[in-house]
Amino acid sequence: DTDLGRPVTDITSRLFLQDVTQDVKKVLETLVPNESEIQDKEGRWYLKRIIPYRTKDNTISGVVLSLIEITRRKKLEEEALRSKEKYASIFNNSKAGIALIQQKTGQILDANPRFTDVTGRTKDNLINMKIWEIMTPEEIKTVRSQFTTDTILADTTHRRFIVQTPKGKETP
């Protein structure tokens, strides 16, 4: 209640609100809510949300400015990004050929550069193929039934397969 009717320019904060006046004007002109992430001087993060304030008789009588602390979310996002980058580096630079295969269908979801080299196929060619489409007939007999089960089998999650290049050359 103490800020009701108060000009937004009178509000002082530890937050970096340099564009808040422009954001308020834009919301009042367009009636489209505005959201952005901002950081305070101590490094905490907030979601800044500005929405038109509608009275009971449906007239616009200002804006509602809300700040929601999101520091924990931002830290988790940063950790997830670092983890994703680390995974991508390991996956793409591994000396071992690695393919991610959908357990139930045998569909190849991703393949690293070494796997494409070993199989003699491009990543685009491999994606959406079934793993048994590039396996030797002997491997297909051994492995195909394991991919149709609902249970992930321990011996198929980390298994070496003998595959064939498009010219029929077998590679372990």
Side-chain angles (χ1 to χ4, degrees), residues 70-86:
I70 58 169
T71 304
R72 181 164 165 68
R73 187 193 85 193
K74 288 291 280 186
K75 287 181 180 177
L76 290 173
E77 286 173 354
E78 290 169 8
E79 287 175 21
L81 181 60
R82 282 194 301 277
S83 178
K84 182 179 178 182
E85 289 169 348
K86 186 176 184 180

Side-chain angles (χ1 to χ4, degrees), residues 128-146:
N128 297 323
M129 287 180 78
K130 308 289 187 201
I131 187 64
W132 45 82
E133 292 178 63
I134 63 171
M135 298 173 108
T136 64
E138 296 78 29
E139 284 286 302
I140 293 171
K141 289 176 194 171
T142 307
V143 174
R144 188 166 181 174
S145 66
Q146 295 175 353

